[in-house]
Amino acid sequence: EAQVTQNPRYLITVTGKKLTVTCSQNMNHEYMSWYRQDPGLGLRQIYYSMNVEVTDKGDVPEGYKVSRKEKRNFPLILESPSPNQTSLYFCASSHRQGNSGANVLTFGAGSRLTVL
Amino acid sequence: AQKVTQAQTEISVVEKEDVTLDCVYETRDTTYYLFWYKQPPSGELVFLIRRNSFDEQNEISGRYSWNFQKSTSSFNFTITASQVVDSAVYFCALSGRYGGATNKLIFGTGTLLAVQP
């Protein structure tokens, strides 16, 4: 089944304790990205990657890191989490935008993170 | 700048009523794409429709229909004969070529639809 898999789905942690949210897709997609969802704000892009070893900041990158060493994986790293990073996180992937236009993003199931 | 506005924060209807969710967008791109996603209580994001800026034809899929009007920069979503299973948060989103961040979606803040039995 074509899917984007995120782990963990739920996590409660404390301020300053490094954590990684993993994301893996099995569709051979070039493009991957991370969004966070907050009440009243919708979803906002954190980071994205156009292909292996190519990453760039989205709209809200502060406090996050990413890497893209393999095509299928795009982990989100919080080096020193703070309470304002409490949120619902989504990983998404698609083929690169081609002549036919913006491709539909496939989203993971979401990871709910609470930072105390 | 690109922006999507969903002015309706919450809508409550009784089953079998028709309901329209509004979406207004702003973009400087001449080529852009509009999307609707559904987020049921379970939390996942479900793709509903993609429409490009050159195609203003309305679309119908079962009980769902979409009205795209470039003149008013709107892409409204109507559910006919609503059902309890339609209860969800619905997001409208925009993607353009501006800035080179291809496939990036700009989301609205979402509309929570509650369908009462």
Side-chain angles (χ1 to χ4, degrees), chain A residues 5-81:
Chain A
T5 303
Q6 297 178 226
N7 280 295
R9 295 287 315 280
Y10 302 92
L11 179 63
I12 300 174
T13 188
V14 295
T15 299
K17 185 175 181 182
K18 180 180 178 180
L19 68 92
T20 299
V21 186
T22 63
C23 174
S24 181
Q25 51 93 6
N26 61 1
M27 296 166 281
N28 202 35
H29 285 163
E30 297 85 12
Y31 180 90
M32 298 186 74
S33 58
W34 277 101
Y35 288 81
R36 59 178 287 174
Q37 180 181 353
D38 301 291
L41 296 176
L43 284 86
R44 294 174 293 166
Q45 191 185 60
I46 303 170
Y47 267 95
Y48 67 95
S49 169
M50 298 301 295
N51 216 325
V52 176
E53 302 291 1
V54 181
T55 64
D56 209 344
K57 296 176 181 179
D59 295 321
V60 287
E62 295 77 20
Y64 305 95
K65 286 175 59 178
V66 293
S67 67
R68 188 90 181 275
K69 294 184 172 60
E70 305 166 284
K71 196 172 187 179
R72 63 182 293 127
N73 295 323
F74 190 45
L76 179 69
I77 303 157
L78 286 73
E79 292 272 3
S80 182

Side-chain angles (χ1 to χ4, degrees), chain B:
Chain B
Q2 297 185 318
K3 185 179 180 182
V4 175
T5 300
Q6 295 180 257
Q8 303 153 309
T9 305
E10 293 185 34
I11 300 175
S12 182
V13 299
V14 177
E15 211 169 16
K16 297 184 183 176
E17 285 185 26
D18 299 347
V19 57
T20 295
L21 309 182
D22 297 332
C23 173
V24 174
Y25 62 92
E26 297 174 30
T27 181
R28 286 181 283 178
D29 292 339
T30 54
T31 301
Y32 53 90
Y33 301 85
L34 296 163
F35 300 77
W36 277 93
Y37 279 85
K38 174 183 180 180
Q39 186 176 45
S42 50
E44 74 272 22
L45 287 163
V46 178
F47 166 74
L48 295 178
I49 189 171
R50 181 190 76 169
R51 177 50 54 91
N52 76 56
S53 53
F54 297 110
D55 183 3
E56 287 192 72
Q57 280 192 340
N58 292 334
E59 181 154 342
I60 298 174
S61 176
R63 296 184 297 106
Y64 294 171
S65 63
W66 290 269
N67 181 268
F68 176 31
Q69 292 197 337
K70 286 178 77 170
S71 60
T72 55
S73 298
S74 64
F75 187 43
N76 296 337
F77 173 32
T78 297
I79 302 175
T80 302
S82 59
Q83 300 176 2
V84 173
V85 293
D86 296 326
S87 297
V89 179
Y90 291 86
F91 289 100
C92 181
L94 166 70
S95 178
R97 293 182 182 268
Y98 182 79
T102 58
N103 284 4
K104 171 184 174 179
L105 291 182
I106 303 296
F107 282 86
T109 51
T111 297
L112 172 61
L113 174 64
V115 181
Q116 311 296 333

